[in-house]
Amino acid sequence: MPDDTTDLSVEVRRNDYGTSGDVLHLKARQAERSMSNNIVTEGLLGLAGDIAGKRVNMGFENVKVQGSIQSTQEGTYPTGGNYPDINTDEWGRATEKEMALTHAFRTWGPNSADGFDTLIWGPREISGMFSKLTTTQNRGDNGPDQYTFSFEWSHTDVYVGDD
């Protein structure tokens, strides 16, 4: 099992990471990126851009990350404060980490002071936010304190320019 703090390819940082230090290190087995430009939105924005004398474009990027939470190490997810804090002697760190991921999904997100959160996938840094989360605990297949997760990360680009 890789060391959660050094050998993982996916990390999610809260937008105020510099002051909060809130980060999730995740064991990803698959990351899939999709990008699109909505043709209807592009047409409407193009008309508005023609009136304003500027080109307007809106692009969407989604990254779907799938992996597992098991045999996790301390310090690979935020704890304390507003995050769930459970008895890890009874439930294990993987359960606390799954709960921290769920809490992050519910409470993280963009704000005017700090902007968007950041997904780090290998050398890529993608600003955005969680848009969908699924976690599963299947004791029959994985045993206790083992989870699979899938989340979608969304980024939107809005370009206003002369080109």
mmCIF file with all atom_site columns, all heavy atoms in Angstrom, residues 122-150:
data_model
loop_
_atom_site.group_PDB
_atom_site.id
_atom_site.type_symbol
_atom_site.label_atom_id
_atom_site.label_alt_id
_atom_site.label_comp_id
_atom_site.label_asym_id
_atom_site.label_entity_id
_atom_site.label_seq_id
_atom_site.pdbx_PDB_ins_code
_atom_site.Cartn_x
_atom_site.Cartn_y
_atom_site.Cartn_z
_atom_site.occupancy
_atom_site.B_iso_or_equiv
_atom_site.pdbx_formal_charge
_atom_site.auth_seq_id
_atom_site.auth_comp_id
_atom_site.auth_asym_id
_atom_site.auth_atom_id
_atom_site.pdbx_PDB_model_num
ATOM 1   N N   . GLY A 1 122 ? -1.316  14.581 -10.514 1.00 0.00 ? 122 GLY A N   1
ATOM 2   C CA  . GLY A 1 122 ? 0.007   14.542 -11.129 1.00 0.00 ? 122 GLY A CA  1
ATOM 3   C C   . GLY A 1 122 ? 0.549   15.966 -11.226 1.00 0.00 ? 122 GLY A C   1
ATOM 4   O O   . GLY A 1 122 ? 0.504   16.704 -10.245 1.00 0.00 ? 122 GLY A O   1
ATOM 5   N N   . PRO A 1 123 ? 1.011   16.391 -12.404 1.00 0.00 ? 123 PRO A N   1
ATOM 6   C CA  . PRO A 1 123 ? 1.522   17.759 -12.541 1.00 0.00 ? 123 PRO A CA  1
ATOM 7   C C   . PRO A 1 123 ? 0.421   18.807 -12.790 1.00 0.00 ? 123 PRO A C   1
ATOM 8   O O   . PRO A 1 123 ? 0.701   19.993 -12.878 1.00 0.00 ? 123 PRO A O   1
ATOM 9   C CB  . PRO A 1 123 ? 2.444   17.662 -13.760 1.00 0.00 ? 123 PRO A CB  1
ATOM 10  C CG  . PRO A 1 123 ? 1.820   16.582 -14.591 1.00 0.00 ? 123 PRO A CG  1
ATOM 11  C CD  . PRO A 1 123 ? 1.246   15.586 -13.600 1.00 0.00 ? 123 PRO A CD  1
ATOM 12  N N   . ARG A 1 124 ? -0.840  18.373 -12.877 1.00 0.00 ? 124 ARG A N   1
ATOM 13  C CA  . ARG A 1 124 ? -1.935  19.291 -13.191 1.00 0.00 ? 124 ARG A CA  1
ATOM 14  C C   . ARG A 1 124 ? -2.485  19.930 -11.919 1.00 0.00 ? 124 ARG A C   1
ATOM 15  O O   . ARG A 1 124 ? -2.652  19.256 -10.915 1.00 0.00 ? 124 ARG A O   1
ATOM 16  C CB  . ARG A 1 124 ? -3.079  18.548 -13.879 1.00 0.00 ? 124 ARG A CB  1
ATOM 17  C CG  . ARG A 1 124 ? -2.686  17.825 -15.139 1.00 0.00 ? 124 ARG A CG  1
ATOM 18  C CD  . ARG A 1 124 ? -3.737  16.765 -15.486 1.00 0.00 ? 124 ARG A CD  1
ATOM 19  N NE  . ARG A 1 124 ? -3.243  15.796 -16.409 1.00 0.00 ? 124 ARG A NE  1
ATOM 20  C CZ  . ARG A 1 124 ? -2.529  14.728 -16.093 1.00 0.00 ? 124 ARG A CZ  1
ATOM 21  N NH1 . ARG A 1 124 ? -2.219  14.481 -14.845 1.00 0.00 ? 124 ARG A NH1 1
ATOM 22  N NH2 . ARG A 1 124 ? -2.111  13.894 -17.014 1.00 0.00 ? 124 ARG A NH2 1
ATOM 23  N N   . GLU A 1 125 ? -2.790  21.214 -11.973 1.00 0.00 ? 125 GLU A N   1
ATOM 24  C CA  . GLU A 1 125 ? -3.501  21.911 -10.906 1.00 0.00 ? 125 GLU A CA  1
ATOM 25  C C   . GLU A 1 125 ? -4.738  22.531 -11.528 1.00 0.00 ? 125 GLU A C   1
ATOM 26  O O   . GLU A 1 125 ? -4.633  23.401 -12.389 1.00 0.00 ? 125 GLU A O   1
ATOM 27  C CB  . GLU A 1 125 ? -2.626  22.983 -10.254 1.00 0.00 ? 125 GLU A CB  1
ATOM 28  C CG  . GLU A 1 125 ? -1.486  22.399 -9.451  1.00 0.00 ? 125 GLU A CG  1
ATOM 29  C CD  . GLU A 1 125 ? -0.783  23.418 -8.569  1.00 0.00 ? 125 GLU A CD  1
ATOM 30  O OE1 . GLU A 1 125 ? -1.366  24.506 -8.308  1.00 0.00 ? 125 GLU A OE1 1
ATOM 31  O OE2 . GLU A 1 125 ? 0.353   23.130 -8.152  1.00 0.00 ? 125 GLU A OE2 1
ATOM 32  N N   . ILE A 1 126 ? -5.910  22.049 -11.107 1.00 0.00 ? 126 ILE A N   1
ATOM 33  C CA  . ILE A 1 126 ? -7.166  22.468 -11.719 1.00 0.00 ? 126 ILE A CA  1
ATOM 34  C C   . ILE A 1 126 ? -8.022  23.140 -10.653 1.00 0.00 ? 126 ILE A C   1
ATOM 35  O O   . ILE A 1 126 ? -8.458  22.496 -9.696  1.00 0.00 ? 126 ILE A O   1
ATOM 36  C CB  . ILE A 1 126 ? -7.917  21.254 -12.317 1.00 0.00 ? 126 ILE A CB  1
ATOM 37  C CG1 . ILE A 1 126 ? -7.012  20.513 -13.317 1.00 0.00 ? 126 ILE A CG1 1
ATOM 38  C CG2 . ILE A 1 126 ? -9.218  21.692 -12.969 1.00 0.00 ? 126 ILE A CG2 1
ATOM 39  C CD1 . ILE A 1 126 ? -7.506  19.148 -13.712 1.00 0.00 ? 126 ILE A CD1 1
ATOM 40  N N   . SER A 1 127 ? -8.247  24.432 -10.820 1.00 0.00 ? 127 SER A N   1
ATOM 41  C CA  . SER A 1 127 ? -9.115  25.127 -9.871  1.00 0.00 ? 127 SER A CA  1
ATOM 42  C C   . SER A 1 127 ? -10.558 24.736 -10.156 1.00 0.00 ? 127 SER A C   1
ATOM 43  O O   . SER A 1 127 ? -10.925 24.464 -11.292 1.00 0.00 ? 127 SER A O   1
ATOM 44  C CB  . SER A 1 127 ? -8.939  26.639 -9.976  1.00 0.00 ? 127 SER A CB  1
ATOM 45  O OG  . SER A 1 127 ? -9.323  27.096 -11.255 1.00 0.00 ? 127 SER A OG  1
ATOM 46  N N   . GLY A 1 128 ? -11.367 24.681 -9.121  1.00 0.00 ? 128 GLY A N   1
ATOM 47  C CA  . GLY A 1 128 ? -12.762 24.284 -9.306  1.00 0.00 ? 128 GLY A CA  1
ATOM 48  C C   . GLY A 1 128 ? -13.397 23.912 -7.996  1.00 0.00 ? 128 GLY A C   1
ATOM 49  O O   . GLY A 1 128 ? -13.034 24.426 -6.934  1.00 0.00 ? 128 GLY A O   1
ATOM 50  N N   . MET A 1 129 ? -14.335 22.958 -8.078  1.00 0.00 ? 129 MET A N   1
ATOM 51  C CA  . MET A 1 129 ? -15.047 22.529 -6.876  1.00 0.00 ? 129 MET A CA  1
ATOM 52  C C   . MET A 1 129 ? -15.609 21.132 -7.066  1.00 0.00 ? 129 MET A C   1
ATOM 53  O O   . MET A 1 129 ? -15.779 20.663 -8.190  1.00 0.00 ? 129 MET A O   1
ATOM 54  C CB  . MET A 1 129 ? -16.179 23.509 -6.553  1.00 0.00 ? 129 MET A CB  1
ATOM 55  C CG  . MET A 1 129 ? -17.236 23.617 -7.637  1.00 0.00 ? 129 MET A CG  1
ATOM 56  S SD  . MET A 1 129 ? -18.481 24.855 -7.290  1.00 0.00 ? 129 MET A SD  1
ATOM 57  C CE  . MET A 1 129 ? -19.448 24.034 -6.051  1.00 0.00 ? 129 MET A CE  1
ATOM 58  N N   . PHE A 1 130 ? -15.862 20.452 -5.926  1.00 0.00 ? 130 PHE A N   1
ATOM 59  C CA  . PHE A 1 130 ? -16.542 19.167 -5.972  1.00 0.00 ? 130 PHE A CA  1
ATOM 60  C C   . PHE A 1 130 ? -17.928 19.378 -6.574  1.00 0.00 ? 130 PHE A C   1
ATOM 61  O O   . PHE A 1 130 ? -18.632 20.302 -6.187  1.00 0.00 ? 130 PHE A O   1
ATOM 62  C CB  . PHE A 1 130 ? -16.750 18.596 -4.560  1.00 0.00 ? 130 PHE A CB  1
ATOM 63  C CG  . PHE A 1 130 ? -15.518 18.095 -3.884  1.00 0.00 ? 130 PHE A CG  1
ATOM 64  C CD1 . PHE A 1 130 ? -14.989 18.774 -2.796  1.00 0.00 ? 130 PHE A CD1 1
ATOM 65  C CD2 . PHE A 1 130 ? -14.906 16.926 -4.296  1.00 0.00 ? 130 PHE A CD2 1
ATOM 66  C CE1 . PHE A 1 130 ? -13.870 18.302 -2.135  1.00 0.00 ? 130 PHE A CE1 1
ATOM 67  C CE2 . PHE A 1 130 ? -13.784 16.442 -3.635  1.00 0.00 ? 130 PHE A CE2 1
ATOM 68  C CZ  . PHE A 1 130 ? -13.264 17.137 -2.553  1.00 0.00 ? 130 PHE A CZ  1
ATOM 69  N N   . SER A 1 131 ? -18.335 18.520 -7.514  1.00 0.00 ? 131 SER A N   1
ATOM 70  C CA  . SER A 1 131 ? -19.687 18.620 -8.059  1.00 0.00 ? 131 SER A CA  1
ATOM 71  C C   . SER A 1 131 ? -20.501 17.346 -7.839  1.00 0.00 ? 131 SER A C   1
ATOM 72  O O   . SER A 1 131 ? -21.724 17.375 -7.963  1.00 0.00 ? 131 SER A O   1
ATOM 73  C CB  . SER A 1 131 ? -19.650 18.970 -9.548  1.00 0.00 ? 131 SER A CB  1
ATOM 74  O OG  . SER A 1 131 ? -18.847 18.064 -10.263 1.00 0.00 ? 131 SER A OG  1
ATOM 75  N N   . LYS A 1 132 ? -19.836 16.238 -7.504  1.00 0.00 ? 132 LYS A N   1
ATOM 76  C CA  . LYS A 1 132 ? -20.556 14.993 -7.209  1.00 0.00 ? 132 LYS A CA  1
ATOM 77  C C   . LYS A 1 132 ? -19.632 14.103 -6.391  1.00 0.00 ? 132 LYS A C   1
ATOM 78  O O   . LYS A 1 132 ? -18.433 14.067 -6.634  1.00 0.00 ? 132 LYS A O   1
ATOM 79  C CB  . LYS A 1 132 ? -20.950 14.288 -8.512  1.00 0.00 ? 132 LYS A CB  1
ATOM 80  C CG  . LYS A 1 132 ? -21.794 13.053 -8.318  1.00 0.00 ? 132 LYS A CG  1
ATOM 81  C CD  . LYS A 1 132 ? -22.228 12.471 -9.653  1.00 0.00 ? 132 LYS A CD  1
ATOM 82  C CE  . LYS A 1 132 ? -23.120 11.254 -9.426  1.00 0.00 ? 132 LYS A CE  1
ATOM 83  N NZ  . LYS A 1 132 ? -23.540 10.673 -10.693 1.00 0.00 ? 132 LYS A NZ  1
ATOM 84  N N   . LEU A 1 133 ? -20.221 13.377 -5.435  1.00 0.00 ? 133 LEU A N   1
ATOM 85  C CA  . LEU A 1 133 ? -19.439 12.464 -4.599  1.00 0.00 ? 133 LEU A CA  1
ATOM 86  C C   . LEU A 1 133 ? -20.236 11.203 -4.321  1.00 0.00 ? 133 LEU A C   1
ATOM 87  O O   . LEU A 1 133 ? -21.423 11.271 -4.005  1.00 0.00 ? 133 LEU A O   1
ATOM 88  C CB  . LEU A 1 133 ? -19.083 13.130 -3.260  1.00 0.00 ? 133 LEU A CB  1
ATOM 89  C CG  . LEU A 1 133 ? -18.428 12.228 -2.203  1.00 0.00 ? 133 LEU A CG  1
ATOM 90  C CD1 . LEU A 1 133 ? -17.038 11.779 -2.656  1.00 0.00 ? 133 LEU A CD1 1
ATOM 91  C CD2 . LEU A 1 133 ? -18.358 12.943 -0.866  1.00 0.00 ? 133 LEU A CD2 1
ATOM 92  N N   . THR A 1 134 ? -19.565 10.067 -4.437  1.00 0.00 ? 134 THR A N   1
ATOM 93  C CA  . THR A 1 134 ? -20.135 8.782  -4.048  1.00 0.00 ? 134 THR A CA  1
ATOM 94  C C   . THR A 1 134 ? -19.079 8.045  -3.239  1.00 0.00 ? 134 THR A C   1
ATOM 95  O O   . THR A 1 134 ? -17.923 7.958  -3.665  1.00 0.00 ? 134 THR A O   1
ATOM 96  C CB  . THR A 1 134 ? -20.497 7.928  -5.279  1.00 0.00 ? 134 THR A CB  1
ATOM 97  O OG1 . THR A 1 134 ? -21.401 8.648  -6.111  1.00 0.00 ? 134 THR A OG1 1
ATOM 98  C CG2 . THR A 1 134 ? -21.118 6.609  -4.877  1.00 0.00 ? 134 THR A CG2 1
ATOM 99  N N   . THR A 1 135 ? -19.463 7.542  -2.069  1.00 0.00 ? 135 THR A N   1
ATOM 100 C CA  . THR A 1 135 ? -18.577 6.669  -1.299  1.00 0.00 ? 135 THR A CA  1
ATOM 101 C C   . THR A 1 135 ? -19.335 5.382  -1.010  1.00 0.00 ? 135 THR A C   1
ATOM 102 O O   . THR A 1 135 ? -20.542 5.397  -0.822  1.00 0.00 ? 135 THR A O   1
ATOM 103 C CB  . THR A 1 135 ? -18.120 7.316  0.031   1.00 0.00 ? 135 THR A CB  1
ATOM 104 O OG1 . THR A 1 135 ? -19.260 7.579  0.841   1.00 0.00 ? 135 THR A OG1 1
ATOM 105 C CG2 . THR A 1 135 ? -17.352 8.603  -0.218  1.00 0.00 ? 135 THR A CG2 1
ATOM 106 N N   . THR A 1 136 ? -18.602 4.270  -1.006  1.00 0.00 ? 136 THR A N   1
ATOM 107 C CA  . THR A 1 136 ? -19.220 2.967  -0.812  1.00 0.00 ? 136 THR A CA  1
ATOM 108 C C   . THR A 1 136 ? -18.404 2.147  0.172   1.00 0.00 ? 136 THR A C   1
ATOM 109 O O   . THR A 1 136 ? -17.175 2.103  0.060   1.00 0.00 ? 136 THR A O   1
ATOM 110 C CB  . THR A 1 136 ? -19.296 2.197  -2.155  1.00 0.00 ? 136 THR A CB  1
ATOM 111 O OG1 . THR A 1 136 ? -19.975 2.998  -3.115  1.00 0.00 ? 136 THR A OG1 1
ATOM 112 C CG2 . THR A 1 136 ? -20.006 0.868  -1.991  1.00 0.00 ? 136 THR A CG2 1
ATOM 113 N N   . GLN A 1 137 ? -19.091 1.526  1.103   1.00 0.00 ? 137 GLN A N   1
ATOM 114 C CA  . GLN A 1 137 ? -18.468 0.550  1.986   1.00 0.00 ? 137 GLN A CA  1
ATOM 115 C C   . GLN A 1 137 ? -19.190 -0.764 1.762   1.00 0.00 ? 137 GLN A C   1
ATOM 116 O O   . GLN A 1 137 ? -20.375 -0.880 2.027   1.00 0.00 ? 137 GLN A O   1
ATOM 117 C CB  . GLN A 1 137 ? -18.571 0.967  3.454   1.00 0.00 ? 137 GLN A CB  1
ATOM 118 C CG  . GLN A 1 137 ? -17.926 -0.027 4.397   1.00 0.00 ? 137 GLN A CG  1
ATOM 119 C CD  . GLN A 1 137 ? -18.042 0.371  5.857   1.00 0.00 ? 137 GLN A CD  1
ATOM 120 O OE1 . GLN A 1 137 ? -18.935 1.102  6.233   1.00 0.00 ? 137 GLN A OE1 1
ATOM 121 N NE2 . GLN A 1 137 ? -17.139 -0.128 6.672   1.00 0.00 ? 137 GLN A NE2 1
ATOM 122 N N   . ASN A 1 138 ? -18.471 -1.732 1.230   1.00 0.00 ? 138 ASN A N   1
ATOM 123 C CA  . ASN A 1 138 ? -19.050 -3.038 0.953   1.00 0.00 ? 138 ASN A CA  1
ATOM 124 C C   . ASN A 1 138 ? -18.283 -4.069 1.767   1.00 0.00 ? 138 ASN A C   1
ATOM 125 O O   . ASN A 1 138 ? -17.226 -4.533 1.362   1.00 0.00 ? 138 ASN A O   1
ATOM 126 C CB  . ASN A 1 138 ? -18.970 -3.349 -0.542  1.00 0.00 ? 138 ASN A CB  1
ATOM 127 C CG  . ASN A 1 138 ? -19.672 -4.635 -0.902  1.00 0.00 ? 138 ASN A CG  1
ATOM 128 O OD1 . ASN A 1 138 ? -19.872 -5.508 -0.060  1.00 0.00 ? 138 ASN A OD1 1
ATOM 129 N ND2 . ASN A 1 138 ? -20.030 -4.763 -2.165  1.00 0.00 ? 138 ASN A ND2 1
ATOM 130 N N   . ARG A 1 139 ? -18.784 -4.392 2.923   1.00 0.00 ? 139 ARG A N   1
ATOM 131 C CA  . ARG A 1 139 ? -18.067 -5.299 3.828   1.00 0.00 ? 139 ARG A CA  1
ATOM 132 C C   . ARG A 1 139 ? -17.850 -6.669 3.213   1.00 0.00 ? 139 ARG A C   1
ATOM 133 O O   . ARG A 1 139 ? -16.883 -7.344 3.518   1.00 0.00 ? 139 ARG A O   1
ATOM 134 C CB  . ARG A 1 139 ? -18.806 -5.413 5.149   1.00 0.00 ? 139 ARG A CB  1
ATOM 135 C CG  . ARG A 1 139 ? -18.702 -4.167 5.962   1.00 0.00 ? 139 ARG A CG  1
ATOM 136 C CD  . ARG A 1 139 ? -19.430 -4.327 7.284   1.00 0.00 ? 139 ARG A CD  1
ATOM 137 N NE  . ARG A 1 139 ? -19.251 -3.152 8.106   1.00 0.00 ? 139 ARG A NE  1
ATOM 138 C CZ  . ARG A 1 139 ? -18.389 -3.080 9.111   1.00 0.00 ? 139 ARG A CZ  1
ATOM 139 N NH1 . ARG A 1 139 ? -17.654 -4.100 9.414   1.00 0.00 ? 139 ARG A NH1 1
ATOM 140 N NH2 . ARG A 1 139 ? -18.289 -1.970 9.800   1.00 0.00 ? 139 ARG A NH2 1
ATOM 141 N N   . GLY A 1 140 ? -18.746 -7.110 2.340   1.00 0.00 ? 140 GLY A N   1
ATOM 142 C CA  . GLY A 1 140 ? -18.598 -8.423 1.724   1.00 0.00 ? 140 GLY A CA  1
ATOM 143 C C   . GLY A 1 140 ? -17.363 -8.522 0.850   1.00 0.00 ? 140 GLY A C   1
ATOM 144 O O   . GLY A 1 140 ? -16.653 -9.517 0.863   1.00 0.00 ? 140 GLY A O   1
ATOM 145 N N   . ASP A 1 141 ? -17.083 -7.473 0.074   1.00 0.00 ? 141 ASP A N   1
ATOM 146 C CA  . ASP A 1 141 ? -15.945 -7.497 -0.849  1.00 0.00 ? 141 ASP A CA  1
ATOM 147 C C   . ASP A 1 141 ? -14.667 -6.947 -0.222  1.00 0.00 ? 141 ASP A C   1
ATOM 148 O O   . ASP A 1 141 ? -13.585 -7.450 -0.475  1.00 0.00 ? 141 ASP A O   1
ATOM 149 C CB  . ASP A 1 141 ? -16.262 -6.678 -2.107  1.00 0.00 ? 141 ASP A CB  1
ATOM 150 C CG  . ASP A 1 141 ? -17.348 -7.334 -2.942  1.00 0.00 ? 141 ASP A CG  1
ATOM 151 O OD1 . ASP A 1 141 ? -17.590 -8.544 -2.758  1.00 0.00 ? 141 ASP A OD1 1
ATOM 152 O OD2 . ASP A 1 141 ? -17.958 -6.636 -3.757  1.00 0.00 ? 141 ASP A OD2 1
ATOM 153 N N   . ASN A 1 142 ? -14.812 -5.870 0.563   1.00 0.00 ? 142 ASN A N   1
ATOM 154 C CA  . ASN A 1 142 ? -13.625 -5.161 1.023   1.00 0.00 ? 142 ASN A CA  1
ATOM 155 C C   . ASN A 1 142 ? -13.270 -5.390 2.483   1.00 0.00 ? 142 ASN A C   1
ATOM 156 O O   . ASN A 1 142 ? -12.187 -5.041 2.901   1.00 0.00 ? 142 ASN A O   1
ATOM 157 C CB  . ASN A 1 142 ? -13.807 -3.648 0.822   1.00 0.00 ? 142 ASN A CB  1
ATOM 158 C CG  . ASN A 1 142 ? -13.947 -3.293 -0.636  1.00 0.00 ? 142 ASN A CG  1
ATOM 159 O OD1 . ASN A 1 142 ? -13.415 -3.984 -1.481  1.00 0.00 ? 142 ASN A OD1 1
ATOM 160 N ND2 . ASN A 1 142 ? -14.654 -2.230 -0.926  1.00 0.00 ? 142 ASN A ND2 1
ATOM 161 N N   . GLY A 1 143 ? -14.171 -5.896 3.279   1.00 0.00 ? 143 GLY A N   1
ATOM 162 C CA  . GLY A 1 143 ? -13.911 -6.005 4.700   1.00 0.00 ? 143 GLY A CA  1
ATOM 163 C C   . GLY A 1 143 ? -14.204 -4.689 5.389   1.00 0.00 ? 143 GLY A C   1
ATOM 164 O O   . GLY A 1 143 ? -14.473 -3.678 4.751   1.00 0.00 ? 143 GLY A O   1
ATOM 165 N N   . PRO A 1 144 ? -14.155 -4.677 6.725   1.00 0.00 ? 144 PRO A N   1
ATOM 166 C CA  . PRO A 1 144 ? -14.483 -3.454 7.451   1.00 0.00 ? 144 PRO A CA  1
ATOM 167 C C   . PRO A 1 144 ? -13.428 -2.369 7.237   1.00 0.00 ? 144 PRO A C   1
ATOM 168 O O   . PRO A 1 144 ? -12.266 -2.665 6.953   1.00 0.00 ? 144 PRO A O   1
ATOM 169 C CB  . PRO A 1 144 ? -14.508 -3.917 8.907   1.00 0.00 ? 144 PRO A CB  1
ATOM 170 C CG  . PRO A 1 144 ? -13.657 -5.133 8.931   1.00 0.00 ? 144 PRO A CG  1
ATOM 171 C CD  . PRO A 1 144 ? -13.810 -5.781 7.590   1.00 0.00 ? 144 PRO A CD  1
ATOM 172 N N   . ASP A 1 145 ? -13.860 -1.127 7.366   1.00 0.00 ? 145 ASP A N   1
ATOM 173 C CA  . ASP A 1 145 ? -12.969 0.033  7.293   1.00 0.00 ? 145 ASP A CA  1
ATOM 174 C C   . ASP A 1 145 ? -12.262 0.157  5.943   1.00 0.00 ? 145 ASP A C   1
ATOM 175 O O   . ASP A 1 145 ? -11.121 0.568  5.868   1.00 0.00 ? 145 ASP A O   1
ATOM 176 C CB  . ASP A 1 145 ? -11.965 -0.003 8.444   1.00 0.00 ? 145 ASP A CB  1
ATOM 177 C CG  . ASP A 1 145 ? -11.433 1.386  8.778   1.00 0.00 ? 145 ASP A CG  1
ATOM 178 O OD1 . ASP A 1 145 ? -12.211 2.355  8.740   1.00 0.00 ? 145 ASP A OD1 1
ATOM 179 O OD2 . ASP A 1 145 ? -10.231 1.497  9.065   1.00 0.00 ? 145 ASP A OD2 1
ATOM 180 N N   . GLN A 1 146 ? -12.951 -0.242 4.873   1.00 0.00 ? 146 GLN A N   1
ATOM 181 C CA  . GLN A 1 146 ? -12.435 -0.096 3.523   1.00 0.00 ? 146 GLN A CA  1
ATOM 182 C C   . GLN A 1 146 ? -13.545 0.477  2.652   1.00 0.00 ? 146 GLN A C   1
ATOM 183 O O   . GLN A 1 146 ? -14.661 -0.016 2.658   1.00 0.00 ? 146 GLN A O   1
ATOM 184 C CB  . GLN A 1 146 ? -11.955 -1.433 2.970   1.00 0.00 ? 146 GLN A CB  1
ATOM 185 C CG  . GLN A 1 146 ? -10.787 -2.010 3.752   1.00 0.00 ? 146 GLN A CG  1
ATOM 186 C CD  . GLN A 1 146 ? -10.284 -3.303 3.146   1.00 0.00 ? 146 GLN A CD  1
ATOM 187 O OE1 . GLN A 1 146 ? -10.484 -3.578 1.963   1.00 0.00 ? 146 GLN A OE1 1
ATOM 188 N NE2 . GLN A 1 146 ? -9.620  -4.110 3.948   1.00 0.00 ? 146 GLN A NE2 1
ATOM 189 N N   . TYR A 1 147 ? -13.202 1.522  1.898   1.00 0.00 ? 147 TYR A N   1
ATOM 190 C CA  . TYR A 1 147 ? -14.185 2.259  1.105   1.00 0.00 ? 147 TYR A CA  1
ATOM 191 C C   . TYR A 1 147 ? -13.681 2.438  -0.319  1.00 0.00 ? 147 TYR A C   1
ATOM 192 O O   . TYR A 1 147 ? -12.476 2.451  -0.567  1.00 0.00 ? 147 TYR A O   1
ATOM 193 C CB  . TYR A 1 147 ? -14.425 3.657  1.703   1.00 0.00 ? 147 TYR A CB  1
ATOM 194 C CG  . TYR A 1 147 ? -14.926 3.622  3.117   1.00 0.00 ? 147 TYR A CG  1
ATOM 195 C CD1 . TYR A 1 147 ? -14.039 3.518  4.184   1.00 0.00 ? 147 TYR A CD1 1
ATOM 196 C CD2 . TYR A 1 147 ? -16.286 3.682  3.395   1.00 0.00 ? 147 TYR A CD2 1
ATOM 197 C CE1 . TYR A 1 147 ? -14.498 3.475  5.489   1.00 0.00 ? 147 TYR A CE1 1
ATOM 198 C CE2 . TYR A 1 147 ? -16.752 3.650  4.697   1.00 0.00 ? 147 TYR A CE2 1
ATOM 199 C CZ  . TYR A 1 147 ? -15.852 3.535  5.741   1.00 0.00 ? 147 TYR A CZ  1
ATOM 200 O OH  . TYR A 1 147 ? -16.315 3.488  7.028   1.00 0.00 ? 147 TYR A OH  1
ATOM 201 N N   . THR A 1 148 ? -14.603 2.589  -1.218  1.00 0.00 ? 148 THR A N   1
ATOM 202 C CA  . THR A 1 148 ? -14.285 3.106  -2.548  1.00 0.00 ? 148 THR A CA  1
ATOM 203 C C   . THR A 1 148 ? -14.958 4.459  -2.660  1.00 0.00 ? 148 THR A C   1
ATOM 204 O O   . THR A 1 148 ? -15.961 4.732  -1.995  1.00 0.00 ? 148 THR A O   1
ATOM 205 C CB  . THR A 1 148 ? -14.782 2.172  -3.672  1.00 0.00 ? 148 THR A CB  1
ATOM 206 O OG1 . THR A 1 148 ? -16.191 1.998  -3.551  1.00 0.00 ? 148 THR A OG1 1
ATOM 207 C CG2 . THR A 1 148 ? -14.072 0.822  -3.612  1.00 0.00 ? 148 THR A CG2 1
ATOM 208 N N   . PHE A 1 149 ? -14.381 5.325  -3.467  1.00 0.00 ? 149 PHE A N   1
ATOM 209 C CA  . PHE A 1 149 ? -14.960 6.645  -3.672  1.00 0.00 ? 149 PHE A CA  1
ATOM 210 C C   . PHE A 1 149 ? -14.908 7.008  -5.144  1.00 0.00 ? 149 PHE A C   1
ATOM 211 O O   . PHE A 1 149 ? -14.101 6.487  -5.908  1.00 0.00 ? 149 PHE A O   1
ATOM 212 C CB  . PHE A 1 149 ? -14.233 7.725  -2.840  1.00 0.00 ? 149 PHE A CB  1
ATOM 213 C CG  . PHE A 1 149 ? -12.842 8.025  -3.332  1.00 0.00 ? 149 PHE A CG  1
ATOM 214 C CD1 . PHE A 1 149 ? -12.620 8.963  -4.340  1.00 0.00 ? 149 PHE A CD1 1
ATOM 215 C CD2 . PHE A 1 149 ? -11.744 7.376  -2.787  1.00 0.00 ? 149 PHE A CD2 1
ATOM 216 C CE1 . PHE A 1 149 ? -11.341 9.229  -4.806  1.00 0.00 ? 149 PHE A CE1 1
ATOM 217 C CE2 . PHE A 1 149 ? -10.464 7.637  -3.238  1.00 0.00 ? 149 PHE A CE2 1
ATOM 218 C CZ  . PHE A 1 149 ? -10.262 8.561  -4.248  1.00 0.00 ? 149 PHE A CZ  1
ATOM 219 N N   . SER A 1 150 ? -15.777 7.900  -5.505  1.00 0.00 ? 150 SER A N   1
ATOM 220 C CA  . SER A 1 150 ? -15.795 8.492  -6.831  1.00 0.00 ? 150 SER A CA  1
ATOM 221 C C   . SER A 1 150 ? -16.271 9.920  -6.656  1.00 0.00 ? 150 SER A C   1
ATOM 222 O O   . SER A 1 150 ? -17.276 10.160 -5.984  1.00 0.00 ? 150 SER A O   1
ATOM 223 C CB  . SER A 1 150 ? -16.747 7.724  -7.751  1.00 0.00 ? 150 SER A CB  1
ATOM 224 O OG  . SER A 1 150 ? -16.860 8.371  -9.000  1.00 0.00 ? 150 SER A OG  1
#
